[in-house]
Amino acid sequence: MRQADTAFESASGNRRAPRLTAYLLLTPLLVWVMAFVVAPALIILVYSFGERQVLGGVTLGFSLRSWARVGDPIYLAILWRSVEYAGITTLICLVVGYPVAFVVGRASERHRPLLLTLVMIPFWTSFLIRTYAWVTILKSEGLLNSLLLQLSWISEPIEMMYTPFAVIIGLVYTFVPFMILPIYGSVEKLDASLIEAALDLGAGPWRAFWKVILPLTRPGISAGVLLVFVPALGLYAVNDILGGGRVDMIGNVIENQFKGTARNWPFGAALGTALLGAFALAFWLTRRPGRADRAAG
Amino acid sequence: MRVFTIGSAPARGMLAALTALALGTWAHPTVAADAPSELNLFAWSEYIPTSVIEGFEKESGIKVNYEEYASNEEMLAKLVSGASKYDLLQPSEYTVEALIKEDRLQPLDKSKLPNLKNVEAWYTTQAHDSGLKYSVPYMSGTVGIVVNKEKVKEPVTGYDDVFKDAHKGRIVVLDDAVEIVTWAMATQGKGPAQVNSENVAATRPVLERWLPLVKVYDSDSPKTALLNGDVDIGIVWSGEGAILVNEAPEKFQYILPKEGAHMFIDSLAIPKDAPHPEAAHAFIDYLLRPEVSRKISEEFPYTNPNVGARKLLSDKERNNEASYPKGSPRLEIFRDMGPTAVEIDELFTDVKAKSAS
């Protein structure tokens, strides 16, 4: 939205072409958002009040049957587990990603492009292929177990595949760049003189970090948390491939309503809408402190 | 030059067009409406060998657009949405039944299918489409037990031998609620034709015992976990089992459960609104040729319903018990389950969630 704001400002600054240019520049984005975000979301909302058809599909109407099932403890428990996995993933990404982002952001300008490229190299390969690569590493007769056996650190293979551990590894691996990049953006803009001032005025490194660096990089952290948490909540491919589908994520349950035996589109739509609501809530919660900061700054 | 705003007509037109795109009413890009030399094939992923499709294209001059799906329900979802027009589908028997009930298929013109005579008589008398009025069997198969004999020493004959505490964390099963619930019903002496609310609910205690023992749920490639050594025993598609047995006959064995096994018949059927039914008939007849059907068996070692093709198989292929079971095992096909499918899904999701360690 920052670019959009800028467009507004410059357009209203130019008195000969007020607002029109701004709208024109915004049109592609608005159309995109309408067609691919708002319209599908509304369709899902409408579907969620419909009735299931025999072959799949929805008979439109106003039925609360699907919504009543969303509140069922079975699905709330699954949603909660998805939130837990996404939360743990986000936390690990933050702990792992922050130092990396800091080092890259404070590196000399000559080295920065190289370091950033290293962070982004994984994106050159398909996400699914990278996830399957983890199968090769983690399986019983896999690379990691072979290595540990060779080194005689273990006497028999550790079970890593098809465990929650494997799922979390896969999720963290997938999402850590999404944490690093926004934090890097904040760290890069960090004014070194403020840190020096803190140190000169007697703050130790810890205090300087907690009182100066952390608050100043908070917008990056908020963005990173959001960019990791929201997709991690919906992503279930990692869970299927590395977790063996032993526990369902909310994404699995939704998929089953459309592509599984139930053929229950209205219920899938109701779950999808509920998840969208949960995302909106997460967004709202992470946005609020950011705003307070900016007001204070 | 006039610059249009959000509310102006061209912008609204564009918006409407893009909304239409989002709604899926836009014509499907791969489907050209009236080119007679095309076939829009909508079939299972990795189930029709490329060489077979190329052979047909070369001989007939018909271009085949192969769109893939991973489950009958995914196929139905796209078919029902009406976004694309398909000429040929590859539904399993219970989906054939549902499609016939909903009047979605067109009757086959048998005069255009001279090779239909190659299909084994048994397949022409099954309840989902008796007399093969709407569908032709492509491949059939069973769902059975694969054992890694190096790891599992005691004899395995049925479902209860798989789901034993000794095998906890060493089991792979299909990630399919209907499959697993019908296995549980089989141990209670009920066949898949008896699927109803009461019988489904009665399987709960069995599922509560079974699911905590399972290590992997995988319908796409259940052989992988067995090959990788992550599990020792599993219940998988016979084609997957046949590949394992072919690869390491001394290690893997395929067993049909004594309680009764599920048999599926993947078929070919033409939707009612198919733009190119002629091409679809031509392709079905091509697939029914013994030498073509034999090529399919080579790549996908399921049970070939084509008697002519079976004669062309090697002894090794014919003797693979996963593809061609010996004796006369109890085999049963699924019937359309109607709304009970929702109850199966809910029961399975519930027990699975509570079984997580």
Side-chain angles (χ1 to χ4, degrees), chain A residues 82-235:
Chain A
S82 307
V83 169
E84 279 179 338
Y85 271 76
I88 293 170
T89 302
T90 311
L91 195 69
I92 298 177
C93 282
L94 182 61
V95 172
V96 173
Y98 194 96
V100 177
F102 199 83
V103 169
V104 177
R106 308 312 286 173
S108 76
E109 297 212 14
R110 217 155 45 91
H111 294 128
R112 248 183 259 166
L114 175 71
L115 292 170
L116 271 183
T117 312
L118 287 176
V119 172
M120 286 188 285
I121 276 181
F123 289 116
W124 296 358
T125 319
S126 142
F127 151 75
L128 280 177
I129 292 175
R130 282 183 283 131
T131 307
Y132 276 109
W134 276 103
V135 177
T136 316
I137 297 171
L138 296 176
K139 66 185 181 187
S140 291
E141 297 158 11
L143 295 174
L144 188 54
N145 270 319
S146 308
L147 180 73
L148 294 176
L149 285 169
Q150 284 280 314
L151 294 171
S152 304
W153 288 10
I154 52 173
S155 55
E156 55 187 274
I158 309 173
E159 274 193 35
M160 290 176 284
M161 268 303 284
Y162 312 118
T163 59
F165 166 76
V167 177
I168 295 287
I169 284 210
L171 285 171
V172 168
Y173 170 75
T174 305
F175 287 114
V176 88
F178 294 93
M179 184 66 84
I180 294 176
L181 294 177
I183 297 180
Y184 161 81
S186 285
V187 170
E188 197 198 13
K189 278 191 246 110
L190 198 61
D191 190 344
S193 57
L194 290 175
I195 305 171
E196 282 161 20
L199 295 174
D200 284 349
L201 293 172
W206 265 115
R207 203 152 162 220
F209 177 75
W210 284 111
K211 294 278 180 191
V212 178
I213 299 174
L214 197 64
L216 284 173
T217 50
R218 201 178 224 159
I221 296 173
S222 298
V225 165
L226 210 63
L227 281 176
V228 172
F229 183 79
V230 172
L233 192 54
L235 189 76

Side-chain angles (χ1 to χ4, degrees), chain A residues 20 31 35 43 52 55 69 74-75 78 139-141 159 162 244-248 257 259-261 263 265, chain B residues 5 18 22-23 71 73-74 76-77 170 178 214-217 225 228 230 341-342 345-346 349-350 352 356:
Chain A
L20 277 182
V31 168
I43 292 169
R52 172 186 184 270
L55 296 182
R69 271 184 77 195
I74 303 172
Y75 303 106
I78 291 172
K139 66 185 181 187
S140 291
E141 297 158 11
E159 274 193 35
Y162 312 118
R246 274 166 90 190
V247 294
D248 280 328
Q257 307 310 316
K259 287 163 73 179
T261 31
R263 292 181 214 153
W265 292 21
Chain B
T5 59
L18 278 164
L23 291 169
S71 71
E73 286 68 26
E74 183 185 345
L76 287 175
R170 311 300 302 166
V178 174
V214 173
K215 175 94 177 246
V216 186
Y217 296 87
N228 287 348
D230 284 311
V342 175
D345 179 69
E346 181 167 291
T349 307
D350 186 23
K352 196 175 173 187

